Amino acid sequence: MDETLLKWQQKLQPDLMDNLIRRYHLLRYIRVSEPVGRRALAQEMDISERVLRREVELFKNEQLLLIETQGMRLTEDGKNLLEALESSIQVLTGRTSLQAKLERALHVKRVIVAPGNSDEQDWVKKEMSRACVDEMIQTLGEGDVVAVAGGTTLAALAAAVYPHARLSNVTFVPARGGLGEDVELQANTISADLAKQAEANYRLLHVPDQLSETAYDSLIEEPGIRELLQLIRHPRMVIHSVGDALSMATRRGSTEEHLKGLETKSAQSEAFGYYFDHHGKIVHKERTIGLQLSDLNEEQMVITVAGGASKAKAIASYMTHRPSDLLITDEAAAKAVLDTLEEDL
């Protein structure tokens, strides 16, 4: 649909467009959460069950929706409608403009902005994950290696992937060792879960993320570790998130002295064991086994998945140091990043 025509229709028929956007988002949520029950859908989308019943009846009559014992799921017509509407909805909601502004401001090749705020809505992480899975399918091929970091954002990615011919001979590897955090959030676990869901291959790195100098020097000389590190440090694709500096340091069990040191240095973000200030300058580096920042080059496609307004300063900080090939974020984070960058001018 022509962008100018869409904008005129929005001015002349705002109620019609509001209904279109609401119904689109309902279908999107069903798609990323299926099978899903009505009560869960009403709560997550913050609409009354009475209104939802009316919308569900419409979807069912138009053969966009199946209602089964386990919950609701989209028909093929429903999925096709979502794909056909996507670009138009992005224009109507302003996400197309938001993506272009972020690309210019962060010097990122490409930005995908999902609706909502993942700080408050769990389904938004599913939306970001779906966009990442689509990118994996379009980009990866026979024998490619994907290095995956840990954390709550990428744990959602493992639940979104599915078997596909282009992923069947891909190998997923952890970008780094364990952080000593919940096992389901570690890169090892997420890599294995991704591979199992995609019916692909995986390798695991059974070492802690942080080591003494002696232990580090000894481990990287082990033949098995050395061979695995070659895979980890030369992947076709890197998928990671960006964390708030102090939150990440706390997750690592850092001492009060270390936390105060990061505060003194105005650390804003963390990625790959490196801490950055708001200018993108490295202010601290952990000794870690796995992918190093220096390993990233033009041969890899680097995807950063990070959303929520609370991560805005961290995203701006890391991207100032090294723009990724693709940033997948959400509306709340995108707007907050632009505000943060304006404040720094």
Side-chain angles (χ1 to χ4, degrees):
M1 196 180 291
D2 180 76
E3 187 173 332
T4 305
L5 177 60
L6 274 174
K7 289 178 178 176
W8 280 116
Q9 285 181 321
Q10 193 171 24
K11 288 180 181 296
L12 294 170
Q13 298 176 296
D15 291 346
L16 177 64
M17 291 303 173
D18 288 345
N19 285 335
L20 174 64
I21 292 168
R22 185 183 70 252
R23 287 167 180 163
Y24 172 85
H25 284 151
L26 281 170
L27 289 172
R28 284 300 292 244
Y29 180 78
I30 294 168
R31 179 72 180 95
V32 299
S33 304
E34 61 186 19
V36 62
R38 287 187 186 179
R39 183 170 296 177
L41 179 57
Q43 288 175 346
E44 194 65 44
M45 301 303 290
D46 194 25
I47 60 175
S48 71
E49 291 195 43
R50 182 181 62 81
V51 171
L52 181 60
R53 276 196 300 272
R54 186 180 67 224
E55 301 290 24
V56 166
E57 195 62 30
L58 183 148
F59 295 155
K60 184 182 174 184
N61 291 341
E62 294 298 323
Q63 299 182 326
L64 303 175
L65 191 68
L66 290 173
I67 300 177
E68 302 171 335
T69 306
Q70 305 96 317
M72 297 177 286
R73 63 175 69 247
L74 295 192
T75 62
E76 284 304 312
D77 283 349
K79 294 173 187 176
N80 292 337
L81 178 63
L82 275 183
E83 289 182 17
L85 282 173
E86 185 152 357
S87 60
S88 299
I89 295 296
Q90 285 188 330
V91 172
L92 285 171
T93 57
R95 293 205 302 275
T96 298
S97 172
L98 203 50
Q99 288 170 178
K101 287 177 182 176
L102 264 187
E103 286 167 0
R104 290 192 298 270
L106 296 174
H107 306 290
V108 178
K109 292 178 185 175
R110 202 151 56 90
V111 173
I112 295 174
V113 176
N117 181 356
S118 54
D119 284 342
E120 301 170 356
Q121 302 154 306
D122 285 341
W123 64 271
V124 179
K125 286 184 181 177
K126 295 178 183 178
E127 281 283 352
M128 294 191 295
S129 296
R130 185 199 63 82
C132 189
V133 171
D134 287 348
E135 197 64 32
M136 288 161 57
I137 289 170
Q138 291 173 32
T139 306
L140 298 171
E142 183 84 21
D144 281 342
V145 174
V146 182
V148 184
T152 56
T153 301
L154 296 189
L157 176 62
V161 77
Y162 54 89
H164 192 281
R166 292 184 65 91
L167 301 179
S168 61
N169 286 304
V170 164
T171 298
F172 291 92
V173 296
R176 60 202 301 172
L179 286 178
E181 58 193 347
D182 293 342
V183 67
E184 63 269 20
L185 301 182
Q186 291 185 11
N188 263 339
T189 304
I190 293 169
S191 299
D193 288 347
L194 277 166
K196 289 171 184 175
Q197 288 285 103
E199 297 180 0
N201 310 305
Y202 66 93
R203 298 282 302 276
L204 300 181
L205 181 62
H206 295 294
V207 296
D209 188 52
Q210 292 174 276
L211 297 163
S212 67
E213 187 172 354
T214 303
Y216 178 89
D217 292 340
S218 174
L219 269 173
I220 62 173
E221 292 304 318
E222 290 290 326
I225 298 292
R226 186 187 296 179
E227 184 263 339
L228 182 53
L229 285 176
Q230 280 297 308
L231 284 182
I232 292 172
R233 289 180 175 171
H234 299 89
R236 170 69 182 86
M237 180 180 285
V238 177
I239 305 174
H240 78 109
S241 191
V242 178
D244 170 76
L246 296 182
S247 298
M248 290 302 299
T250 301
R251 271 171 56 183
R252 287 196 170 95
S254 298
T255 63
E256 280 296 320
E257 184 181 2
H258 180 48
L259 291 172
K260 287 177 182 176
L262 290 174
E263 278 191 275
T264 301
K265 295 173 183 176
S266 301
Q268 293 278 357
S269 63
E270 186 277 342
F272 305 110
Y274 295 77
Y275 291 82
F276 310 87
D277 66 13
H278 73 283
H279 295 297
K281 178 185 174 184
I282 297 171
V283 295
H284 178 73
K285 179 190 180 305
E286 302 283 0
R287 185 186 293 108
T288 62
I289 283 193
L291 191 71
Q292 305 296 309
L293 206 56
S294 57
D295 295 323
L296 304 182
N297 55 50
E298 294 299 318
E299 294 177 9
Q300 285 100 29
M301 178 177 189
V302 180
I303 300 177
T304 302
V305 187
S310 64
K311 279 196 176 181
K313 290 184 178 180
I315 293 169
S317 163
Y318 173 73
M319 290 294 168
T320 300
H321 177 83
R322 188 198 186 282
S324 298
D325 298 292
L326 172 61
L327 168 63
I328 301 175
T329 189
D330 59 35
E331 283 179 287
K335 292 172 182 175
V337 166
L338 291 173
D339 290 343
T340 295
L341 293 173
E342 285 182 10
E343 288 171 8
D344 289 342
L345 292 178

